Amino acid sequence: MSDLRKIVSIVVPFFNEGSNVELFAQGLVPILAELTDISFEIVCVDDGSTDDTLARLVALNKKDPRFRIIELSRNFGKEAALTAGIDHARGDAVIPIDADLQDPPELIAPMIAAWRAGAEVVLARRVDRSVDPPMKQHSAAWFYRIYNRLSHLKLPENVGDFRLMDRVVVEALKSLTEQQRFMKGLFAWVGFRTVTLDYQRRQRASGTTKFSGWKLWNLAVEGVTSFSTVPLKVWTYIGLAGALATAAYAIFIVARTLIIGVDVPGYASLLVAILFIGSLQLVSIGVLGEYIGRIYMESKRRPTYIVRRRHGGNDEG
């Protein structure tokens, strides 16, 4: 291999994707074979799979040593697995991609062309998500809309983890040390010269998604609380509005008492007022607790992931 040949790292998180391992390799390898002036490594991160994913990945490594396997000690979640893959990537550029082939490997060549033309980040934007369930399409649209209103850091809409990043971008990402990681936000936060390529999202090659509605909701909360303090500020304004309304009502009660005397207050209105204010207080405490919880977890300084073993390359062991 020539010392002048560029190396591109493909980073692929795997969690219980045994049925997709060979399909992914069959879809990716022919695409890479067409790019004869680029060397590739495929960094596969097994995120604590409980099926035969790891065994299939190790077998794939024996057939094609370009497939390097990073075996995590347990399931840390996709954001941590993606972080592990990026940390272990050696390439001049890094391309994260999912194992289910919904993001087309055919886009890798145009990404590399844009990178060679001077782009430091090449985003892949989904212009057609019709293969996703309607609920997921609508929830994704609402997430981007709400997030971009709440946060000063704007996320490009319909852009996932599939992208190309120059080594300078990767090193910037590796310098960010927080443990609670929302990768889409971190990708956007580091910036750099960016171009965007459009593509049509495909059906999964095999298997089912590992992201339930609850996991997606938690990821959305993680994203908002990682890059915005607006939810905290909102409750300041709600409290101020409540105080003003209470003061106005107090003035009304005093004036009415002075004019028509004291009457017996209604039980229903008192109960509704108490329950309403109590509910607002519980919600505000919950929002505050979300941020305090993040501070608590970050203060522990635990590693984002733990590697159990590496398979392939010069770092096996």
Side-chain angles (χ1 to χ4, degrees), residues 194-237:
T194 302
V195 300
T196 303
L197 303 178
D198 293 336
Y199 75 100
Q200 184 172 347
R201 193 164 170 82
R202 297 174 174 174
Q203 293 280 2
R204 283 180 61 93
S206 179
T208 58
T209 180
K210 307 305 182 294
F211 271 97
S212 62
W214 179 245
K215 287 184 178 180
L216 289 172
W217 166 256
N218 285 330
L219 183 63
V221 172
E222 186 80 26
V224 172
T225 54
S226 291
F227 291 93
S228 175
T229 58
V230 169
L232 290 175
K233 295 178 182 178
V234 163
W235 288 104
T236 301
Y237 297 125

Side-chain angles (χ1 to χ4, degrees), residues 114-314:
W115 171 52
R116 283 174 158 169
E120 293 164 321
V121 177
V122 184
L123 302 180
R125 180 172 56 196
R126 307 154 182 159
V127 293
D128 185 349
R129 301 188 61 158
S130 58
V131 299
D132 291 334
M135 181 60 70
K136 187 173 182 180
Q137 295 179 44
H138 294 311
S139 61
W142 276 104
F143 166 73
Y144 285 113
R145 190 174 303 170
I146 294 172
Y147 179 94
N148 286 333
R149 290 200 174 199
L150 292 180
S151 176
H152 66 279
L153 177 71
K154 306 306 179 185
L155 292 183
E157 294 192 21
N158 289 316
V159 173
D161 299 325
F162 187 34
R163 64 189 66 211
L164 180 146
M165 297 174 290
D166 185 83
R167 171 51 58 179
V168 67
V169 182
V170 173
E171 293 302 322
L173 283 170
K174 289 169 68 174
S175 72
L176 307 180
T177 59
E178 60 250 54
Q179 279 71 51
Q180 306 295 306
R181 302 180 73 81
F182 177 62
M183 296 305 293
K184 290 182 181 64
L186 296 180
F187 290 150
W189 187 87
V190 296
F192 293 95
R193 292 195 300 270
T194 302
V195 300
T196 303
L197 303 178
D198 293 336
Y199 75 100
Q200 184 172 347
R201 193 164 170 82
R202 297 174 174 174
Q203 293 280 2
R204 283 180 61 93
S206 179
T208 58
T209 180
K210 307 305 182 294
F211 271 97
S212 62
W214 179 245
K215 287 184 178 180
L216 289 172
W217 166 256
N218 285 330
L219 183 63
V221 172
E222 186 80 26
V224 172
T225 54
S226 291
F227 291 93
S228 175
T229 58
V230 169
L232 290 175
K233 295 178 182 178
V234 163
W235 288 104
T236 301
Y237 297 125
I238 291 176
L240 179 61
L244 292 175
T246 301
Y249 187 65
I251 293 172
F252 168 74
I253 292 298
V254 170
R256 190 179 68 171
T257 301
L258 292 175
I259 295 172
I260 64 176
V262 179
D263 60 351
V264 178
Y267 170 77
S269 60
L270 182 62
L271 180 63
V272 169
I274 292 174
L275 292 178
F276 177 70
I277 298 299
S279 299
L280 286 182
Q281 289 175 332
L282 289 175
V283 173
S284 64
I285 290 172
V287 173
L288 185 62
E290 192 70 38
Y291 284 89
I292 293 175
R294 292 186 60 82
I295 297 171
Y296 172 66
M297 296 304 295
E298 291 291 335
S299 68
K300 293 176 179 290
R301 306 307 298 169
R302 291 173 179 165
T304 305
Y305 59 87
I306 296 175
V307 176
R308 179 177 180 271
R309 188 178 180 186
R310 300 173 181 86
H311 307 261
N314 297 324

Side-chain angles (χ1 to χ4, degrees), residues 31-42:
I31 301 298
L32 304 187
E34 297 176 0
L35 300 168
T36 56
D37 57 341
I38 294 282
S39 293
F40 289 93
E41 65 166 5
I42 302 96

Side-chain angles (χ1 to χ4, degrees), residues 43-88:
V43 183
C44 302
V45 183
D46 178 60
D47 188 24
S49 297
T50 56
D51 63 357
D52 61 348
T53 296
L54 179 60
R56 289 174 180 251
L57 287 173
V58 172
L60 186 60
N61 164 253
K62 295 185 184 303
K63 295 178 183 177
D64 188 341
R66 292 179 301 176
F67 285 84
R68 298 171 51 219
I69 318 303
I70 308 299
E71 178 188 351
L72 301 188
S73 62
R74 64 169 176 84
N75 177 241
F76 286 89
K78 184 182 179 183
E79 307 297 283
L82 189 56
T83 300
I86 292 172
D87 287 347
H88 287 82

